[in-house]
Amino acid sequence: MATASPALPSPGRYRRIFRGLLIPVLALLTALVAGALVMHLSGDNAQDAYIGLFKGAFGSAKGWAATIRKMIPFILTGLSVAVAFKAGLFNIGASGQFVMGTVFSVFIGINFEGLPMAIHLPLAIVFGIVGGALWGAIPGILKVYTGAHEVIVTIMLNYVAALFAGWTVYAGGSQGQTPGPLWDRTAGPISETPDVLASARLPYLFDPSYRIHYGVFIALAAVVFIWWLIYKTTIGFEIRTVGQNMKAARYAGIRVNWTVILTMGIAGGLAGLAGAVETLGLNHKFAPEFGGQVGFDGITIALLGQTHPFGVVLSSLLFGALDAGASKMQFDSRVSADIIQIIQALVLAFVAAPMIIRALYRIKRLPTESESTSLGTSWGGS
Amino acid sequence: MEQIPVLEARNITKRFPGVIANQNVNLTLYRGEILALLGENGAGKSTLMNIIYGLYQPTEGEILVNGKPVQMRSPKDAIALGIGMVHQHFQLVPVMTVVDNVMLGSESVRCAFLNREAAAARITELSERYNMAMDPYALVEDLPVGVRQRVEIIKALYRQADILILDEPTAVLTPQEIEGLFAVMDLLRGQGKSIIFITHKLKEVLRVADRIGVLRRGQVVGEADPKTATQSSLASLMVGREVILEVEKSDAHPGKAVLEISDLRATTDLGDTALAGVSLTVHAGEIVGVAGVQGNGQTELVEVLTGLRTAKSGTIRIGGQGMTNASPRRITEEGQSCHIPEDRHAFGMVDGYPITDNLVLNTYYQSPFARGITVNRPAIEANAAALVEKFDVRTPSVHLSGGSLSGGNQQKMVVAREFSRPIQLLIAAQPTRGIDVGSIEFIHQQIVAKRDEGVAVVLVSSELDEILALSDRIAVMYKGEIIDIVDRDDATREGLGLLMAGVKEA
């Protein structure tokens, strides 16, 4: 009951930022300590491991390059999940949207030989966004018109996307089954696409051996764009209002159904862009069962970043560094790189359940603060 | 002989981060008395009761039960000490029977199985002793509100409560049901139970209490004797200054019809009939009060009128334009209407948004608050600064969240937003529910001022006093119909009470 309150100071800008960083930083520290405990229990030297991890991620130009390279898809899928959270939606489908973005952009990238790069490359990127956006909009449409929960639908669509991508590159069988439309005919029995044409590749920055491509700028531009969209436009106001109080949004005349579909489309588009950038910049082709964890890491990254676009950049830096440093850690300290996944999982557990951190460090919630992201609201029905 | 109080609170102070909710509160309750606790919203009544019921621990001070200091860590401890609480929002499971609800948490068990018969027998015995007839095997969802409340009281008595805390028990009752509740309270007092009766309705306090305690800003500011106190003396004690209880207004000068409703029908979310053919015309410059016990279709009527619920049939015209099943935005824009919603937390505001954003909740896309699709922050801030000043929304900063305001200030914020654009129709649903006397006074004056500017006003309220104070005509709703429309001058409290209960005299 904050009603009989004497004058409360208005929380200043820096104080807000501090409060926003407090829980994620403590969650990370706690996870690192817990990780050290796990290593200690299995007889490893945690100190060596963490030093190796840090050196691997930041100790050399190559390390930095790897960290930045890994950040790119993390930023985009993290943004995807974060945007959906803003509208009170839980996008577990970044993985499938990433895959669809890849398929769409590779389709453009391996065809249309002779197009100038100025057209071919943007076209491939835009198709990646569109592929992901369509894949994201489907659960939005189903939620609005049938009440199907987006969590269930996006999980299912992840499988559909993975199987669809596998089919497109299917090499055909010995009994003469039809090969998939994107299969590389020169690849023999291997199921994979041809490399995208040079005119559709994102060029490398610096020396090609660093394998950093122009996708960095696309990712950072996406961060600024999404920040602007969410906090500086009427569309963002509508998205946030729907996320905070759907009834008040209806009262205010906001088209809630449209906003839900739009938000899922934007979220899907970002994950699709991640797929496009990763393929056009780095892998240049895909084979069945690619993509891996990156869509799901987006959930942790969005939560750790407090669903703020700039927070997503910071948490992507962390996750990029963890991934980049893992092999050096394993080499230096003989600690299995799997420990990194344990730490990442613990980070997720602690940010998803901030009560644990609040209780552990006795942080009180200010009466003026409200939890910005609630995983609970998403389950309350549509 | 000095009587030992059954309950005593000594120097209770409760601090929340940044807030002092109770400060040095002293309170005594004797056996067999009704102590009324009066206070505005945010005065600290709920915090104090939550301390007595074990939900909060006091920062300082102590609680004594029957003269002995006690430590209560949870309601379980309070119940064990014989303290029972009837919350304003009933804590019942609608799909379960009375006996299951009463047993919940203190099940009577026979060889690991529930012993419903024994519990039902005790409920019947209790209900007979205290004259609260009920069927132990009825489903709670089938029971009228008044009976549900009795189930709550029985629940407390079943747990052998000697001290009953009734939190705003009359808010949801008809005048007749309120009389019934008071009779039950009399009976309980006669049998040695002690009651703390929390309310902000002055008339009821004078009617039923033995002693009156008044809380203001977390402190006990006075005690009053109902034999000598008057409504206005209590009100000024509550607010700390003189309060005008009557709303001053001149006669209405109704103009052309602004809102025309014809044979409107709609259902609840569950598909039950909510509106069974409502027809009503509201003219410019008049206030039409819609009275009725909660749940007789008023909520749905407002929702249909504001585009939040679909009408099954019938027509709505606003300012001559057909607005049946129009979108909320079209009703706001073309219908030039505004809506003070019944539940401000659900509809009227976004608790997590700063006051600035709450004040443009439905105009954020219009000039000057938006330029194209970009939000114009300086204009939104200037708007907030002006409205907070004009409508006396008390806050240290417009950047604080709307949810951090007190109830009365939240409502003033909603009113400020809705009155900040030109309107021809005002739909106000429970505009002063749960807010302090000072804010009520202010909002009433604003509504009358709008009427005098020529706005057509629909006022839906379950507070008969509010309806009588503001309305020029009064429509009474019962079971989804308007069963009668009377002129204010012909209306009496008793007559309206009967109409609200569905009794229409020939």
Side-chain angles (χ1 to χ4, degrees):
Chain A
M1 207 173 66
T3 42
S5 68
L8 275 172
S10 165
R13 187 182 184 78
Y14 295 108
R15 192 173 157 78
R16 274 212 322 271
I17 294 173
F18 170 76
R19 297 284 309 186
L21 287 173
L22 191 58
I23 298 279
V25 167
L26 290 176
L28 172 65
L29 287 176
T30 315
L32 288 174
V33 170
L37 217 63
V38 171
M39 285 186 258
H40 184 74
L41 286 174
S42 55
D44 290 318
N45 186 327
Q47 193 184 339
D48 288 354
Y50 284 146
I51 290 171
L53 185 65
F54 188 82
K55 278 188 183 162
F58 302 114
S60 64
K62 277 253 158 43
W64 272 101
T67 300
I68 291 170
R69 183 171 69 241
K70 286 176 187 294
M71 275 177 74
I72 298 169
F74 284 154
I75 288 176
L76 290 168
T77 53
L79 278 182
S80 166
V81 179
V83 165
F85 271 138
K86 287 292 175 207
L89 300 163
F90 199 170
N91 180 23
I92 310 217
S95 166
Q97 295 144 11
F98 178 94
V99 166
M100 293 311 275
T102 307
V103 173
F104 271 57
S105 62
V106 166
F107 168 72
I108 298 295
I110 60 176
N111 289 307
F112 307 108
E113 192 156 8
L115 269 185
M117 192 178 190
I119 297 174
H120 201 184
L121 176 60
L123 189 69
I125 292 172
V126 166
F127 258 68
I129 296 172
V130 168
L134 291 176
W135 210 241
I138 293 170
I141 292 166
L142 289 176
K143 183 185 180 81
V144 164
Y145 291 107
T146 71
H149 201 284
E150 77 276 6
V151 166
I152 312 296
V153 178
T154 50
I155 290 175
M156 291 303 148
L157 287 180
N158 285 344
Y159 292 109
V160 177
L163 293 170
F164 172 75
W167 168 78
T168 60
V169 299
Y170 179 52
S174 50
Q175 274 93 39
Q177 292 96 326
T178 327
L182 299 183
W183 171 57
D184 180 4
R185 279 157 213 291
T186 65
I190 302 165
S191 294
E192 63 176 20
T193 66
D195 280 351
V196 294
L197 300 167
S199 57
R201 289 185 197 175
L202 280 165
Y204 286 121
L205 274 163
F206 315 117
D207 190 88
S209 67
Y210 287 129
R211 299 179 70 219
I212 297 183
H213 50 82
Y214 274 85
V216 177
F217 299 118
I218 293 177
L220 292 179
V223 169
V224 175
F225 173 74
I226 291 299
W227 169 79
W228 173 79
L229 183 78
I230 292 293
Y231 295 107
K232 301 289 167 190
T233 70
T234 54
I235 297 165
F237 189 89
E238 290 170 356
I239 290 174
R240 287 183 291 122
T241 307
V242 167
Q244 296 242 338
N245 185 342
M246 203 177 281
K247 285 181 170 171
R250 293 213 309 131
Y251 164 88
I254 293 167
R255 289 174 299 167
V256 173
N257 287 353
W258 164 245
T259 305
V260 166
I261 296 169
L262 177 73
T263 309
M264 282 306 291
I266 294 171
L270 286 162
L273 177 61
V277 165
E278 194 70 350
T279 317
L280 302 174
L282 205 59
N283 304 322
H284 301 149
K285 62 179 170 187
F286 71 88
E289 291 168 34
F290 67 100
Q293 268 310 107
V294 69
F296 296 103
D297 286 337
I299 298 167
T300 318
I301 287 160
L303 286 173
L304 184 62
Q306 303 278 291
T307 70
H308 192 285
F310 300 154
V312 164
V313 176
L314 290 178
S315 50
S316 297
L317 175 65
L318 171 72
F319 269 57
L322 286 174
D323 272 14
S327 54
K328 174 116 177 113
M329 177 193 79
Q330 187 164 359
F331 187 80
D332 282 7
S333 67
R334 307 273 157 225
V335 173
S336 161
D338 291 339
I339 193 75
I340 295 302
Q341 285 183 9
I342 294 180
I343 291 170
Q344 290 178 348
L346 285 169
V347 169
L348 173 61
F350 289 135
V351 284
M355 288 305 293
I356 300 176
I357 293 295
R358 285 186 195 281
L360 215 54
Y361 298 94
R362 302 181 194 285
I363 302 168
K364 286 195 178 146
R365 188 174 300 174
L366 299 180
T368 49
E369 274 180 331
S370 60
E371 209 68 12
S372 63
T373 310
S374 159
L375 292 176
T377 56
S378 186
W379 291 96
S382 47
Chain B
M1 187 189 93
E2 180 78 9
Q3 214 187 347
I4 295 178
V6 287
L7 180 77
E8 194 177 354
R10 280 191 192 155
N11 293 316
I12 296 288
T13 296
K14 177 68 184 174
R15 286 192 205 95
F16 293 106
V19 182
I20 300 172
N22 285 145
Q23 195 170 11
N24 290 321
V25 171
N26 287 293
L27 185 97
T28 47
L29 179 69
Y30 294 100
R31 189 178 143 82
E33 74 163 353
I34 298 175
L35 171 68
L37 207 54
L38 260 182
E40 300 185 290
N41 255 62
K45 292 174 300 190
S46 306
T47 306
L48 184 60
M49 289 309 114
N50 285 333
I51 289 171
I52 292 175
Y53 196 54
L55 282 163
Y56 294 153
Q57 277 70 50
T59 317
E60 285 162 29
E62 59 179 354
I63 305 278
L64 290 86
V65 175
N66 293 320
K68 285 192 274 301
V70 291
Q71 283 282 333
M72 286 181 282
R73 285 172 215 293
S74 73
K76 216 170 183 150
D77 295 338
I79 291 166
L81 289 163
I83 300 170
M85 183 151 173
V86 176
H87 294 268
Q88 191 175 357
H89 303 285
F90 299 151
Q91 316 280 308
L92 298 171
V93 186
V95 294
M96 286 172 33
T97 59
V98 170
V99 60
D100 286 355
N101 267 290
V102 170
M103 277 165 69
L104 203 64
S106 61
E107 291 84 354
S108 106
V109 176
R110 187 175 51 195
C111 308
F113 290 97
L114 291 176
N115 187 353
R116 279 206 181 76
E117 292 74 28
R122 273 214 57 206
I123 291 168
T124 310
E125 183 217 313
L126 285 169
S127 64
E128 277 165 10
R129 185 179 342 154
Y130 296 105
N131 200 12
M132 295 188 279
M134 70 177 68
D135 170 11
Y137 293 104
L139 286 179
V140 165
E141 62 186 353
D142 297 336
L143 299 174
V145 176
V147 180
R148 288 187 203 193
Q149 187 171 59
R150 293 173 172 201
V151 176
E152 284 277 20
I153 296 173
I154 293 274
K155 202 163 95 179
L157 295 173
Y158 184 89
R159 289 161 173 69
Q160 298 177 334
D162 291 316
I163 300 162
L164 279 172
I165 303 169
L166 306 180
D167 188 7
E168 304 268 0
T170 57
V172 290
L173 304 181
T174 61
Q176 283 80 1
E177 283 175 323
I178 291 173
E179 283 306 314
L181 173 69
F182 288 167
V184 169
M185 285 166 68
D186 273 339
L187 208 54
L188 288 164
R189 169 173 53 187
Q191 305 220 9
K193 307 281 183 195
S194 310
I195 296 174
I196 299 178
F197 172 48
I198 299 171
T199 186
H200 60 261
K201 293 186 192 169
L202 308 170
K203 198 173 290 158
E204 296 173 355
V205 168
L206 293 173
R207 159 88 174 68
V208 78
D210 298 311
R211 281 192 305 132
I212 301 167
V214 182
L215 273 177
R216 189 171 78 223
R217 289 173 187 268
Q219 289 173 296
V220 174
V221 290
E223 261 200 39
D225 182 347
K227 290 187 200 70
T228 54
T230 64
Q231 286 197 48
S232 53
S233 74
L234 288 177
S236 45
L237 205 54
M238 239 163 95
V239 187
R241 62 184 168 85
E242 288 296 320
V243 178
I244 312 158
L245 280 176
E246 298 293 314
V247 183
E248 283 188 43
K249 65 183 176 72
S250 53
D251 288 341
H253 302 286
K256 64 176 175 48
V258 172
L259 174 66
E260 296 158 275
I261 310 168
S262 166
D263 199 32
L264 201 60
R265 286 167 197 274
T267 59
T268 65
D269 292 338
L270 299 172
D272 301 328
T273 300
L275 299 180
V278 169
S279 299
L280 182 68
T281 302
V282 183
H283 302 87
E286 71 165 348
I287 299 175
V288 174
V290 176
V293 178
Q294 272 178 54
N296 275 288
Q298 303 96 311
T299 303
E300 288 80 5
L301 176 64
V302 169
E303 287 179 357
V304 171
L305 290 181
T306 52
L308 294 169
R309 181 176 294 276
T310 312
K312 297 282 180 235
S313 66
T315 56
I316 301 168
R317 298 175 75 77
I318 300 174
Q321 280 178 291
M323 286 285 174
T324 321
N325 290 335
S327 70
R329 184 153 290 174
R330 189 168 157 240
I331 291 170
T332 308
E333 283 184 350
E334 293 176 39
Q336 288 184 31
S337 60
C338 76
H339 174 197
I340 300 172
E342 160 181 321
D343 184 343
R344 62 176 167 269
H345 290 288
F347 288 99
M349 57 183 284
V350 178
D351 286 12
Y353 273 5
I355 294 161
T356 49
D357 293 15
N358 269 304
L359 284 170
V360 293
L361 194 60
N362 45 16
T363 47
Y364 64 91
Y365 61 95
Q366 291 170 351
S367 180
F369 307 130
R371 281 181 303 222
I373 64 160
T374 54
V375 166
N376 184 5
R377 274 278 139 204
I380 291 174
E381 310 245 328
N383 173 65
L387 288 182
V388 161
E389 169 80 29
K390 185 173 169 204
F391 286 84
D392 191 32
V393 181
R394 293 185 197 161
T395 174
S397 160
V398 291
H399 299 288
L400 285 181
S401 69
S404 71
L405 296 174
S406 74
N409 283 307
Q410 287 174 349
Q411 192 71 352
K412 283 194 271 188
M413 176 177 80
V414 171
V415 170
R417 180 186 67 222
E418 296 305 303
F419 285 9
S420 64
R421 53 179 192 271
I423 51 166
Q424 58 174 345
L425 174 64
L426 160 62
I427 295 168
Q430 318 289 359
T432 58
R433 171 179 289 173
I435 66 176
D436 56 275
V437 175
S439 302
I440 290 175
E441 194 184 354
F442 181 82
I443 288 171
H444 281 173
Q445 285 164 358
Q446 293 292 324
I447 291 174
V448 171
K450 278 289 159 193
R451 181 201 73 164
D452 293 342
E453 286 171 23
V455 172
V457 181
V458 179
L459 169 75
V460 177
S461 177
S462 50
E463 305 267 349
L464 216 41
D465 292 322
E466 178 163 62
I467 294 277
L468 287 167
L470 291 179
S471 307
D472 300 309
R473 289 191 295 146
I474 300 168
V476 181
M477 283 195 78
Y478 179 71
K479 292 203 168 163
E481 289 180 69
I482 290 180
I483 71 166
D484 206 358
I485 301 178
V486 291
D487 273 345
R488 167 63 187 95
D489 296 335
D490 304 333
T492 62
R493 174 175 294 278
E494 294 68 30
L496 290 175
L498 285 172
L499 285 170
M500 285 163 73
V503 182
K504 189 175 178 181
E505 284 162 273

